[in-house]
Amino acid sequence: MKLYYAPGACSLVPHMVLEEGGFSYDSEAVDLTTKKTASGTDFNAINTKGYVPALILDDGQILTEVSAVIQYLADQVPEKNLAPKSGTLERVRLQEWLSFISTELHKNFSPLYNPAASQDMKDAAIATLSNRFDFVVNHLKDNDYLLGSDYSIADTYLFTVLSWAGFVELDLSPWPALGEYSNRIGGRPAVLSALRNEGLIE
Ligand SMILES: N[C@@H](CCC(=O)N[C@@H](CS)C(=O)NCC(=O)O)C(=O)O
C-alpha cells in the first residue's frame, strides 16, 4: 500500500492507523498548493479529487476519504482492536463519531485556514467549533477515549483535528480536557512514528 499525505493534514489520520496496525507501506508527500508529489508527479492524475489522503491498495485501486480509509485499514487487522466489528451497534457508534469529527469539526476548521474566508465566516466557524468542543469534553468526563476505555480509529481522527488548533491560533485552554486527551494519545509509539514520518517531530 502507498499513502499520499501532506504533513500534518488529515492524511495524518490514516498514517497513524498504518503505524498502529503495524502495516508495511510506502508513503509520499504531496504539495497541496502545486499538487505535485515529492517525486514530481501530478497528484491530480493519481487522485482526481486533488486532496489527501489517498491510499493506493496493493491491487492498484485508490481509496480516499479519511473515514473510509481508516475503517478499511482497521478491518485488515482485527486483532489490533482499532474498530468494533462491522454490523454491530458499537461499529455504528464509531461511525457516528467519525461523521461528527468529519462534518462538525474537520470541516469547521476549513474557514480558519482559508485566506479567502471573511472574519465573519471565521468567527462563525469558531462559535460552532466551541459548541462542538463542549460536547466532546462532556463525553470525555466519563471516557478516556471516544469509544470508552478503548483507543480506536476515531481517536486518531480527533487527535489530528485538535492538533490544527495551534496552526490557526485557536485557543483550546477553555477546554483543558482536550489537551489532556491529546497528550494521552500523543505519547503512543505509533503516533510518534507517524509524526516522525511526516517530519513533524525529530
Ligand atoms: N472529504 C475528504 C476531505 C479531505 C481534505 O479536506 N483534505 C485536505 C487536507 S486535510 C486537502 O487535501 N485539501 C487540499 C485541497 O482540497 O485542495 C476526506 O474526508 O478525506
Side-chain angles (χ1 to χ4, degrees), residues 67 94-108 136 146 153-159 161 181:
S67 300
L94 168 78
Q95 290 164 336
E96 188 177 21
W97 275 115
L98 294 177
S99 188
F100 174 85
I101 299 165
S102 172
T103 60
E104 303 297 331
L105 299 181
H106 179 169
K107 284 300 156 184
N108 273 312
V136 172
L146 292 178
I153 55 174
D155 298 299
T156 67
Y157 201 175
L158 180 57
F159 171 86
V161 168
Y181 169 83

Side-chain angles (χ1 to χ4, degrees), residues 45-138:
I46 296 166
N47 178 13
T48 52
K49 287 175 171 171
Y51 53 69
V52 293
L55 185 71
I56 309 299
L57 305 182
D58 290 339
D59 66 1
Q61 287 190 65
I62 182 169
L63 192 57
T64 60
E65 304 300 317
V66 172
S67 300
V69 172
I70 60 179
Q71 289 187 77
Y72 171 79
L73 291 172
D75 286 343
Q76 306 307 303
V77 287
E79 70 283 5
K80 303 279 183 184
N81 293 318
L82 294 171
K85 202 168 170 324
S86 269
T88 62
L89 179 60
E90 289 75 20
R91 179 60 167 255
V92 177
R93 291 285 175 215
L94 168 78
Q95 290 164 336
E96 188 177 21
W97 275 115
L98 294 177
S99 188
F100 174 85
I101 299 165
S102 172
T103 60
E104 303 297 331
L105 299 181
H106 179 169
K107 284 300 156 184
N108 273 312
F109 268 90
S110 302
L112 307 184
Y113 276 106
N114 186 350
S118 67
Q119 194 54 49
D120 280 353
M121 287 168 74
K122 290 182 203 284
D123 291 345
I126 289 171
T128 304
L129 283 170
S130 300
N131 175 288
R132 305 303 184 253
F133 290 156
D134 288 343
F135 174 80
V136 172
V137 162
N138 194 45

Side-chain angles (χ1 to χ4, degrees), residues 109 133 161-163 165-166 169-179 182:
F109 268 90
F133 290 156
V161 168
L162 292 176
S163 75
E169 292 177 22
L170 178 60
D171 179 17
L172 290 186
S173 64
W175 302 275
L178 296 181
S182 292

Side-chain angles (χ1 to χ4, degrees), residues 4-17:
Y4 286 94
Y5 72 95
C10 51
S11 40
L12 177 60
V13 184
H15 218 158
M16 287 167 66
V17 178

